[in-house]
Amino acid sequence: MKTRSDDLELLLAVVDAGGFSAAAQRLDIPVARVSRAIQRLEHNLQVPLLNRTTRSVALTAEGRCFVDEVRTGLEQLNAAEEALSLAQGEPRGRLRVDAASPFVLHQLVPLVAEFRQRYPAIELELTASDDIINLLEQRTDVAIRIGALTDSSLHARLLGRSRLYLVASPDYLASAGTPVSSADLVHHQRIGFLGSNVLNQWPVDGLDGEIAPTLASSSGEVVRQLCLAGQGIACLSNFMIGEDVRAGRLKPVLSELMRHGGAREQVQAVYYRNTAMSVRIQAFLDVIAPRLTL
Protein backbone atom coordinates (compact mmCIF):
# COMPACT_ATOMS: atom_id res chain seq x y z
CA MET A 1 0.00 0.00 0.00
CA LYS A 2 1.53 3.30 -1.11
CA THR A 3 -0.54 5.61 1.10
CA ARG A 4 -1.30 6.05 4.78
CA SER A 5 -4.84 6.54 6.04
CA ASP A 6 -3.93 9.66 8.04
CA ASP A 7 -2.48 11.25 4.89
CA LEU A 8 -5.69 10.40 3.05
CA GLU A 9 -7.76 12.00 5.82
CA LEU A 10 -5.69 15.18 5.45
CA LEU A 11 -6.19 15.15 1.69
CA LEU A 12 -9.95 15.05 2.19
CA ALA A 13 -9.68 17.85 4.74
CA VAL A 14 -7.85 20.05 2.20
CA VAL A 15 -10.43 19.31 -0.49
CA ASP A 16 -13.40 19.94 1.81
CA ALA A 17 -11.92 23.09 3.35
CA GLY A 18 -10.71 24.50 0.05
CA GLY A 19 -7.10 25.00 1.08
CA PHE A 20 -4.15 23.96 3.23
CA SER A 21 -4.49 26.72 5.81
CA ALA A 22 -8.25 26.25 6.19
CA ALA A 23 -7.80 22.51 6.66
CA ALA A 24 -5.07 23.00 9.23
CA GLN A 25 -7.19 25.51 11.13
CA ARG A 26 -10.20 23.19 11.24
CA LEU A 27 -8.08 20.29 12.45
CA ASP A 28 -5.97 22.47 14.77
CA ILE A 29 -2.68 21.22 13.35
CA PRO A 30 0.29 23.00 11.69
CA VAL A 31 -0.05 23.86 8.00
CA ALA A 32 3.33 22.25 7.41
CA ARG A 33 1.95 18.89 8.53
CA VAL A 34 -0.87 19.13 6.00
CA SER A 35 1.52 20.17 3.24
CA ARG A 36 3.91 17.30 3.97
CA ALA A 37 1.04 14.79 3.86
CA ILE A 38 -0.06 15.94 0.40
CA GLN A 39 3.52 15.99 -0.88
CA ARG A 40 4.03 12.47 0.46
CA LEU A 41 0.87 11.24 -1.27
CA GLU A 42 1.81 12.78 -4.60
CA HIS A 43 5.35 11.41 -4.35
CA ASN A 44 4.19 7.90 -3.50
CA LEU A 45 1.49 7.87 -6.19
CA GLN A 46 3.69 9.64 -8.77
CA VAL A 47 0.79 11.84 -9.87
CA PRO A 48 -0.28 15.42 -9.01
CA LEU A 49 -3.50 15.45 -7.01
CA LEU A 50 -3.97 19.20 -6.54
CA ASN A 51 -3.46 22.32 -8.61
CA ARG A 52 -2.21 25.02 -6.23
CA THR A 53 -2.58 28.79 -6.54
CA THR A 54 -1.77 31.52 -4.06
CA ARG A 55 -5.41 31.64 -2.95
CA SER A 56 -6.87 28.18 -3.36
CA VAL A 57 -6.39 24.60 -4.42
CA ALA A 58 -8.32 22.53 -6.94
CA LEU A 59 -8.29 18.83 -7.72
CA THR A 60 -6.64 17.60 -10.88
CA ALA A 61 -8.61 15.15 -13.01
CA GLU A 62 -6.62 12.31 -11.44
CA GLY A 63 -7.09 13.78 -8.00
CA ARG A 64 -10.85 13.99 -8.42
CA CYS A 65 -11.14 10.30 -9.28
CA PHE A 66 -8.78 9.37 -6.47
CA VAL A 67 -10.65 11.41 -3.83
CA ASP A 68 -13.98 9.81 -4.77
CA GLU A 69 -12.49 6.36 -4.26
CA VAL A 70 -10.74 7.43 -1.04
CA ARG A 71 -14.02 8.61 0.48
CA THR A 72 -15.59 5.23 -0.25
CA GLY A 73 -12.56 3.35 1.01
CA LEU A 74 -12.30 5.28 4.29
CA GLU A 75 -16.03 4.84 4.82
CA GLN A 76 -15.58 1.09 4.47
CA LEU A 77 -12.63 1.19 6.87
CA ASN A 78 -14.72 3.08 9.40
CA ALA A 79 -17.47 0.51 9.00
CA ALA A 80 -15.00 -2.31 9.64
CA GLU A 81 -13.70 -0.58 12.78
CA GLU A 82 -17.27 -0.02 13.93
CA ALA A 83 -18.08 -3.70 13.48
CA LEU A 84 -14.98 -4.64 15.47
CA SER A 85 -15.89 -2.30 18.32
CA LEU A 86 -19.37 -3.82 18.45
CA ALA A 87 -17.83 -7.28 18.66
CA GLN A 88 -15.88 -6.02 21.66
CA GLY A 89 -19.12 -5.03 23.33
CA GLU A 90 -19.25 -1.22 23.24
CA PRO A 91 -19.16 1.65 20.73
CA ARG A 92 -15.81 3.41 20.57
CA GLY A 93 -14.04 6.07 18.53
CA ARG A 94 -14.49 9.78 17.83
CA LEU A 95 -17.91 11.42 17.51
CA ARG A 96 -18.16 15.03 16.36
CA VAL A 97 -21.43 16.78 17.20
CA ASP A 98 -22.43 20.27 16.08
CA ALA A 99 -25.32 22.47 17.21
CA ALA A 100 -26.16 26.15 17.63
CA SER A 101 -24.37 27.62 20.64
CA PRO A 102 -27.56 28.02 22.77
CA PHE A 103 -28.46 24.37 22.19
CA VAL A 104 -24.95 23.23 23.11
CA LEU A 105 -24.90 25.34 26.27
CA HIS A 106 -28.44 24.76 27.55
CA GLN A 107 -29.20 21.24 26.31
CA LEU A 108 -26.07 19.23 25.49
CA VAL A 109 -23.54 20.36 28.10
CA PRO A 110 -25.75 19.23 31.03
CA LEU A 111 -25.96 15.74 29.46
CA VAL A 112 -22.27 15.24 28.63
CA ALA A 113 -21.36 13.70 31.99
CA GLU A 114 -24.01 10.99 31.74
CA PHE A 115 -23.11 10.20 28.13
CA ARG A 116 -19.40 9.90 28.92
CA GLN A 117 -20.15 7.70 31.91
CA ARG A 118 -22.24 5.34 29.80
CA TYR A 119 -19.91 5.34 26.77
CA PRO A 120 -16.37 6.06 27.99
CA ALA A 121 -14.79 4.69 24.79
CA ILE A 122 -16.47 7.33 22.60
CA GLU A 123 -14.34 10.45 22.20
CA LEU A 124 -16.94 13.24 22.09
CA GLU A 125 -16.18 16.53 20.33
CA LEU A 126 -18.72 19.38 20.52
CA THR A 127 -18.74 22.38 18.20
CA ALA A 128 -21.07 25.36 18.44
CA SER A 129 -22.02 26.87 15.06
CA ASP A 130 -24.77 29.43 14.79
CA ASP A 131 -24.80 28.98 11.00
CA ILE A 132 -25.87 25.79 9.24
CA ILE A 133 -22.69 23.91 8.37
CA ASN A 134 -21.76 21.40 5.70
CA LEU A 135 -21.23 18.18 7.63
CA LEU A 136 -18.61 16.83 5.22
CA GLU A 137 -16.59 20.04 5.01
CA GLN A 138 -16.59 20.51 8.80
CA ARG A 139 -15.81 16.83 9.43
CA THR A 140 -18.95 16.58 11.55
CA ASP A 141 -20.76 13.29 12.21
CA VAL A 142 -24.10 14.55 13.49
CA ALA A 143 -25.66 18.00 13.79
CA ILE A 144 -28.65 19.21 15.79
CA ARG A 145 -30.74 21.55 13.67
CA ILE A 146 -33.74 23.67 14.54
CA GLY A 147 -36.54 24.09 11.99
CA ALA A 148 -37.38 22.49 8.66
CA LEU A 149 -34.70 20.61 6.71
CA THR A 150 -33.89 21.25 3.06
CA ASP A 151 -31.11 18.71 2.38
CA SER A 152 -32.69 15.42 1.26
CA SER A 153 -29.33 13.59 1.40
CA LEU A 154 -29.40 13.75 5.18
CA HIS A 155 -30.98 11.25 7.51
CA ALA A 156 -33.01 12.98 10.22
CA ARG A 157 -34.26 11.87 13.62
CA LEU A 158 -36.87 14.08 15.22
CA LEU A 159 -35.86 14.81 18.82
CA GLY A 160 -38.92 16.90 19.66
CA ARG A 161 -40.45 20.34 19.24
CA SER A 162 -39.63 23.50 21.11
CA ARG A 163 -42.22 26.20 21.78
CA LEU A 164 -41.51 29.79 20.78
CA TYR A 165 -42.05 32.65 23.23
CA LEU A 166 -41.92 36.41 23.09
CA VAL A 167 -40.02 37.31 26.26
CA ALA A 168 -38.60 40.30 28.07
CA SER A 169 -36.99 40.93 31.44
CA PRO A 170 -39.12 42.22 34.34
CA ASP A 171 -36.97 45.37 34.48
CA TYR A 172 -37.58 46.12 30.82
CA LEU A 173 -41.34 45.63 31.13
CA ALA A 174 -41.42 47.79 34.28
CA SER A 175 -39.80 50.67 32.40
CA ALA A 176 -41.27 50.25 28.91
CA GLY A 177 -44.65 48.73 29.73
CA THR A 178 -46.14 45.40 28.71
CA PRO A 179 -47.50 45.16 25.14
CA VAL A 180 -51.14 44.10 24.92
CA SER A 181 -51.42 43.89 21.12
CA SER A 182 -49.16 43.22 18.17
CA ALA A 183 -49.45 46.90 17.22
CA ASP A 184 -47.75 47.82 20.51
CA LEU A 185 -44.53 46.10 19.42
CA VAL A 186 -43.63 49.01 17.16
CA HIS A 187 -43.16 51.11 20.30
CA HIS A 188 -40.81 48.58 21.92
CA GLN A 189 -37.17 47.58 21.52
CA ARG A 190 -37.13 44.44 19.38
CA ILE A 191 -34.12 42.15 19.65
CA GLY A 192 -33.71 40.11 16.47
CA PHE A 193 -31.22 38.24 14.33
CA LEU A 194 -28.81 39.46 11.69
CA GLY A 195 -29.38 38.20 8.17
CA SER A 196 -32.21 35.81 9.01
CA ASN A 197 -35.67 36.29 7.51
CA VAL A 198 -36.99 33.16 9.21
CA LEU A 199 -35.82 33.95 12.75
CA ASN A 200 -37.23 37.46 12.52
CA GLN A 201 -40.71 36.23 11.61
CA TRP A 202 -42.47 36.30 14.97
CA PRO A 203 -45.58 34.04 15.05
CA VAL A 204 -47.92 36.66 16.51
CA ASP A 205 -51.44 37.32 15.25
CA GLY A 206 -51.51 40.69 13.56
CA LEU A 207 -47.88 40.56 12.42
CA ASP A 208 -47.25 39.95 8.74
CA GLY A 209 -43.73 39.20 7.56
CA GLU A 210 -40.59 39.76 9.54
CA ILE A 211 -40.12 42.30 12.29
CA ALA A 212 -37.55 45.07 11.94
CA PRO A 213 -35.10 44.61 14.84
CA THR A 214 -33.95 47.67 16.73
CA LEU A 215 -31.07 45.55 18.08
CA ALA A 216 -29.71 42.46 16.36
CA SER A 217 -27.10 39.73 16.71
CA SER A 218 -26.03 36.68 14.74
CA SER A 219 -25.97 34.57 17.93
CA GLY A 220 -29.01 33.20 19.72
CA GLU A 221 -27.14 33.18 23.02
CA VAL A 222 -26.26 36.86 22.59
CA VAL A 223 -29.93 37.63 21.89
CA ARG A 224 -30.84 35.81 25.12
CA GLN A 225 -28.24 37.72 27.12
CA LEU A 226 -29.43 41.05 25.68
CA CYS A 227 -32.96 40.14 26.67
CA LEU A 228 -31.87 39.23 30.19
CA ALA A 229 -30.01 42.56 30.36
CA GLY A 230 -33.28 44.44 29.80
CA GLN A 231 -32.59 45.56 26.25
CA GLY A 232 -35.95 44.64 24.75
CA ILE A 233 -38.31 41.89 23.63
CA ALA A 234 -37.08 38.79 21.79
CA CYS A 235 -38.61 35.70 20.20
CA LEU A 236 -36.76 32.64 21.48
CA SER A 237 -37.24 28.90 21.81
CA ASN A 238 -38.16 27.23 25.07
CA PHE A 239 -35.04 25.02 24.92
CA MET A 240 -32.88 28.06 25.66
CA ILE A 241 -35.11 30.26 27.85
CA GLY A 242 -37.36 27.75 29.63
CA GLU A 243 -35.33 27.89 32.84
CA ASP A 244 -35.21 31.71 32.64
CA VAL A 245 -39.01 31.81 32.47
CA ARG A 246 -39.44 29.36 35.35
CA ALA A 247 -36.99 31.38 37.46
CA GLY A 248 -38.70 34.69 36.65
CA ARG A 249 -35.68 36.15 34.87
CA LEU A 250 -37.76 36.49 31.71
CA LYS A 251 -41.51 36.93 31.30
CA PRO A 252 -43.60 35.85 28.29
CA VAL A 253 -45.66 38.56 26.61
CA LEU A 254 -48.56 38.36 24.13
CA SER A 255 -48.88 34.63 24.84
CA GLU A 256 -52.57 34.64 23.90
CA LEU A 257 -51.67 36.03 20.44
CA MET A 258 -49.00 33.47 19.60
CA ARG A 259 -50.18 31.44 16.64
CA HIS A 260 -50.82 27.78 17.47
CA GLY A 261 -49.74 28.48 21.03
CA GLY A 262 -46.28 29.45 19.78
CA ALA A 263 -45.37 27.68 16.56
CA ARG A 264 -43.25 24.84 17.83
CA GLU A 265 -39.91 24.47 16.07
CA GLN A 266 -38.74 21.00 15.07
CA VAL A 267 -35.49 19.89 16.70
CA GLN A 268 -33.78 17.23 14.59
CA ALA A 269 -30.53 15.33 14.54
CA VAL A 270 -29.13 15.00 11.03
CA TYR A 271 -26.35 12.90 9.52
CA TYR A 272 -25.56 11.30 6.20
CA ARG A 273 -27.50 8.17 5.40
CA ASN A 274 -24.39 6.15 4.53
CA THR A 275 -22.45 7.09 7.65
CA ALA A 276 -20.38 4.29 9.13
CA MET A 277 -20.66 5.86 12.56
CA SER A 278 -24.35 5.16 12.99
CA VAL A 279 -23.76 3.09 16.14
CA ARG A 280 -21.97 5.97 17.89
CA ILE A 281 -24.60 8.41 16.67
CA GLN A 282 -27.37 6.11 17.83
CA ALA A 283 -25.77 5.79 21.27
CA PHE A 284 -25.49 9.56 21.58
CA LEU A 285 -29.06 10.24 20.49
CA ASP A 286 -30.47 7.49 22.69
CA VAL A 287 -28.90 9.20 25.72
CA ILE A 288 -29.87 12.79 24.95
CA ALA A 289 -33.28 12.43 23.27
CA PRO A 290 -35.36 11.52 26.35
CA ARG A 291 -33.51 14.03 28.54
CA LEU A 292 -33.78 17.18 26.43
CA THR A 293 -35.90 19.95 27.97
CA LEU A 294 -37.43 21.30 24.78
Side-chain angles (χ1 to χ4, degrees):
M1 184 173 177
K2 297 180 179 180
T3 59
R4 303 181 344 193
S5 62
D6 54 347
D7 287 348
L8 297 175
E9 291 277 7
L10 291 178
L11 172 63
L12 294 184
V14 170
V15 172
D16 293 337
F20 288 74
S21 297
Q25 184 176 7
R26 289 179 181 177
L27 298 174
D28 194 25
I29 60 175
V31 177
R33 178 179 167 187
V34 178
S35 180
R36 285 195 300 270
I38 304 306
Q39 291 174 358
R40 189 160 47 240
L41 281 172
E42 292 181 326
H43 174 76
N44 291 338
L45 295 170
Q46 291 296 294
V47 64
L49 300 173
L50 298 170
N51 290 319
R52 301 157 175 83
T53 69
T54 56
R55 294 187 177 182
S56 64
V57 297
L59 285 167
T60 63
E62 296 85 357
R64 188 173 299 107
C65 294
F66 183 66
V67 163
D68 289 343
E69 294 296 333
V70 165
R71 287 196 193 279
T72 301
L74 290 179
E75 186 71 24
Q76 292 173 342
L77 178 60
N78 286 334
E81 292 176 345
E82 194 75 48
L84 182 60
S85 71
L86 287 177
Q88 294 173 333
E90 66 175 345
R92 62 180 60 243
R94 183 174 56 198
L95 181 67
R96 291 174 173 163
V97 180
D98 181 84
S101 53
F103 199 91
V104 172
L105 290 171
H106 299 285
Q107 297 294 321
L108 298 186
V109 168
L111 301 176
V112 165
E114 180 174 352
F115 175 75
R116 297 186 69 198
Q117 184 177 16
R118 289 182 59 178
Y119 296 101
I122 295 181
E123 303 163 19
L124 182 63
E125 296 182 1
L126 294 176
T127 59
S129 304
D130 287 313
D131 296 324
I132 291 179
I133 65 166
N134 182 300
L135 270 63
L136 284 178
E137 290 182 0
Q138 298 293 338
R139 319 288 284 175
T140 296
D141 303 315
V142 59
I144 310 298
R145 292 186 177 167
I146 315 299
L149 299 178
T150 57
D151 191 341
S152 61
S153 67
L154 295 173
H155 179 76
R157 174 173 167 179
L158 181 65
L159 301 178
R161 297 175 183 271
S162 188
R163 182 177 179 179
L164 286 169
Y165 288 95
L166 290 193
V167 290
S169 72
D171 287 345
Y172 173 81
L173 295 175
S175 63
T178 300
V180 296
S181 71
S182 59
D184 290 343
L185 291 173
V186 72
H187 304 298
H188 282 267
Q189 299 300 307
R190 301 171 300 278
I191 310 173
F193 289 84
L194 289 172
S196 176
N197 295 334
V198 173
L199 295 178
N200 288 329
Q201 291 178 350
W202 293 3
V204 180
D205 287 338
L207 286 185
D208 294 320
E210 61 183 290
I211 58 103
T214 55
L215 180 60
S217 172
S218 61
S219 166
E221 183 60 22
V222 172
V223 171
R224 171 180 171 267
Q225 291 292 338
L226 289 169
C227 201
L228 287 167
Q231 294 303 301
I233 299 173
C235 183
L236 295 169
S237 293
N238 183 69
F239 72 76
M240 61 187 298
I241 51 90
E243 184 57 36
D244 295 323
V245 172
R246 287 187 290 273
R249 293 185 293 267
L250 292 175
K251 290 188 175 182
V253 298
L254 299 180
S255 297
E256 68 282 0
L257 296 181
M258 297 292 283
R259 299 188 194 111
H260 310 295
R264 297 173 186 270
E265 294 187 297
Q266 293 182 352
V267 179
Q268 302 183 82
V270 297
Y271 51 95
Y272 280 99
R273 296 180 186 277
N274 63 345
T275 181
M277 285 172 264
S278 58
V279 174
R280 272 168 275 178
I281 293 171
Q282 189 72 31
F284 178 75
L285 298 181
D286 285 349
V287 170
I288 71 164
R291 294 165 180 81
L292 296 173
T293 54
L294 302 178

